[in-house]
Amino acid sequence: MFIAFRREVEAALEAALADLDYPTGDLGIEEPPADVPAVLASSVAFRLAGEAGAPPPQVAAEIADAIDLADADLVAEASTQGPYVNFAPSDAYFQGALEDAQAEDWGRLPDTGESVVVEHTSANPTGPVHVGRARNPILGDALARILAFAGHDVTSEYYVNDAGRQMAVFTWAYETFDESDLPEPGREKPDYDLVRYYRKGNEFLEEGDPEAVEAAEAEIAAIIEGLDEGDEETLERVETVVDTVLGGMRETLGRLPAEFDEFVKETRFLRDGSTHEVVDRLRDAEHAFKEEGAWQLDLEDWGIEQSFVFLRSDDTTLYTTRDIAHHEWKFETFDHAITVLGEDQELHANKLRAALEVLGNDTSRLEEVFYAWVNLPGGESMSTRQGTGVDMDDLLDEAVARAEDAVRSRVDDRIRDDDLTDEDVERIAEQVGIGAVRYDVVSKQPTKAITFEWEDALDFEGQSAPYVQYAHARACGILGEADGLEPALDADALAGEDERALLQAVARFPAVVEAAAAEREPHQVATYAREFVDTFNAFYRSCPVLAEDVDDDVAAARLALVEASRQTLANALGVLGIAAPESM
């Protein structure tokens, strides 16, 4: 409804400006303050005051008088308040919102016909997922979900770094050391099992006998060379390690949940020869030069002082070289490519973009979403580079344990402790605990550093997942206690201030999805959900649904509004990747 309302406003405003011989380029449409009884407002009078030679309030009145709403279905009135032109909704607007929000796919936008690949997480398969990666899979997964809900054909991709020195060291260590050489694994998971080999290997290379280290380095170099040449035997050796570790990492990421449609491996672009084809094309580029045996690109034309090395002096390729082939594959396969990256990767992204342009690629189809680091209490960074020794599994276990304590200690006004089985408590704790971590991360603007605080994340009354989840559970409780009362899709019976405010909030949901997808900002949905709960709670306090003194027709209409609210919250949480509990 909101999107259709906005289109009617745009059409009416453009027509009025054209009739008045005013330019129609910028309509100045925005959402008014909460205390203004309108759905949208226009500040266009500010822009036109100079041209009109009149103060903005006078221009606004002139425009409002020229607006013709004869063909409008959803806009009832255009009026002025100072320099603003306000647009009020019709009864059809509220009725449409109430009806549309009953659908399970409420808020989903029509198909755009555009395919989008969202690459995110892509942590190196060298051990358990670290909390330094927490923001990437949460932000990336939420963005992919929102884009899909906004009508795009989305593929979520995990780019697996299974080539290069790290994997060569890992493979050599796995084939060299015995179980007796290693400490006990931190968990009974394959990534915790194999990471012991990787750590032992690095320890040996740093502290081992020089002659033994030299021999080991020769073996490692042979693995690197075999990978770069696409040698099948070498690829299979490395694949054994990579796939085992990746299996454990996927289990951890699945708890968030961070879901992937494709796991695209670096070695794919060595196997098919595309990486070496990229090298040949780059060598012929006018920006290419060779220095100390290494082939590089001069990127000064792109404002980048640091050169781009694409072939080492030993004729082996780099991660960045293979990433060029990877991105050219993306351009061939998808209409648009989005990569979620930590803020420390901005230089790499800029160099990659420049190298792609050297090869003639249209990089307008490539986009990066950068994020700042998450900080632990006390300011310690959750950066993988700085490291804190905290694994993602530990963080999620702690979240669930704390949530279980909160659930067991909380007495709901409708659900007594003895109504909850242990199985119920465990289910709710998993939903609330994981949701708390996820919401706390995704609710912030990506470019802003955040400090993760348990007390805030698990606050049932604050700006948190439990606060939103509890409202959904409350709506489910009301619907479950209706005792045969059937919802009535009658917006005319919902004439109260809090009822209309809630209907307006419901109607906005598709537009929030649209904006969050277009601006690549999942936090917009999180903010909307939290504010929606405020509006729903105001309705809950002032508009009883099942009380004996409530007229049956009003109660039935309010019940339909509760269902519309429940569906809105369920879908808002769903696009954020957060569970919507039916009881808490």
Side-chain angles (χ1 to χ4, degrees), residues 133 319 341-350 370 373 385:
R133 292 287 179 180
Y319 171 88
L341 297 167
E343 58 188 1
D344 61 330
Q345 294 295 306
E346 188 167 0
L347 176 60
H348 160 74
N350 291 339
F370 293 104
W373 296 118
R385 290 179 180 272

Side-chain angles (χ1 to χ4, degrees), residues 175-454:
E175 297 173 347
T176 299
F177 297 104
D178 297 323
E179 175 69 30
S180 59
D181 300 321
L182 309 171
E184 289 294 315
R187 285 175 184 254
E188 292 299 317
K189 280 181 75 222
D191 45 343
Y192 287 83
D193 181 23
L194 262 68
V195 73
R196 299 176 300 157
Y197 293 92
Y198 182 63
R199 291 170 179 166
K200 180 68 176 179
N202 280 306
E203 179 186 327
F204 178 86
L205 294 173
E206 291 175 5
E207 303 173 3
D209 175 75
E211 289 188 8
V213 169
E214 184 178 354
E217 289 288 3
E219 292 182 44
I220 292 166
I223 295 172
I224 294 173
E225 185 177 348
L227 284 170
D228 204 64
E229 293 175 352
D231 175 68
E232 198 61 38
E233 182 183 349
T234 305
L235 289 167
E236 289 177 2
R237 290 165 61 195
V238 173
E239 188 174 59
T240 298
V241 173
V242 169
D243 287 355
T244 303
V245 175
L246 195 59
M249 297 172 72
R250 291 175 67 174
E251 183 181 330
T252 300
L253 293 168
R255 294 182 65 189
L256 281 174
E259 299 175 351
F260 299 92
D261 300 300
E262 287 203 43
F263 284 79
V264 178
K265 294 182 175 179
E266 263 190 278
T267 49
R268 171 178 182 163
F269 306 104
L270 292 170
R271 272 190 165 106
D272 66 11
S274 58
T275 298
H276 292 288
E277 181 186 341
V278 162
V279 169
D280 292 339
R281 290 160 58 206
L282 287 174
R283 278 173 167 163
D284 293 337
E286 62 174 304
H287 296 85
F289 67 96
K290 193 174 184 180
E291 185 174 278
E292 295 182 1
W295 279 94
Q296 306 172 49
L297 291 178
D298 183 341
L299 301 180
E300 288 189 4
D301 288 351
W302 285 264
I304 301 173
E305 294 183 6
Q306 194 179 100
S307 65
F308 179 95
V309 179
F310 62 88
L311 192 68
R312 296 187 183 92
S313 58
D314 62 1
D315 287 337
T316 56
T317 59
L318 295 83
Y319 171 88
T320 47
T321 325
R322 300 184 284 274
D323 207 18
I324 294 173
H326 171 218
H327 276 76
E328 290 197 323
W329 167 79
K330 287 184 183 180
F331 292 153
E332 291 174 3
T333 311
F334 305 98
D335 297 321
H336 200 79
I338 300 173
T339 312
V340 180
L341 297 167
E343 58 188 1
D344 61 330
Q345 294 295 306
E346 188 167 0
L347 176 60
H348 160 74
N350 291 339
K351 291 169 74 173
L352 173 65
R353 182 181 293 272
L356 287 164
E357 291 177 3
V358 167
L359 294 176
N361 292 282
D362 175 13
T363 59
S364 66
R365 297 161 56 199
L366 174 63
E367 184 178 350
E368 297 85 15
V369 175
F370 293 104
Y371 62 89
W373 296 118
V374 178
N375 296 316
L376 294 168
E380 191 174 17
S381 173
M382 285 172 146
S383 159
T384 302
R385 290 179 180 272
Q386 294 179 1
T388 63
V390 180
D391 294 322
M392 182 80 79
D393 290 305
D394 297 329
L395 179 71
L396 298 181
D397 285 350
E398 179 76 5
V400 173
R402 286 174 177 261
E404 182 170 342
D405 289 342
V407 171
R408 290 190 183 280
S409 64
R410 184 176 179 82
V411 179
D412 184 87
D413 59 2
R414 291 178 292 101
I415 303 173
R416 300 187 308 275
D417 283 342
D418 57 4
D419 290 328
L420 293 176
T421 67
D422 286 341
E423 184 177 325
D424 290 332
V425 171
E426 290 172 7
R427 170 185 54 80
I428 294 169
E430 186 78 17
Q431 292 174 323
V432 171
I434 302 298
V437 171
R438 189 165 178 124
Y439 185 92
D440 199 67
V441 170
V442 80
S443 64
K444 311 299 193 305
Q445 290 187 21
T447 54
K448 292 185 177 180
I450 59 177
T451 298
F452 186 84
E453 298 280 1
W454 287 114

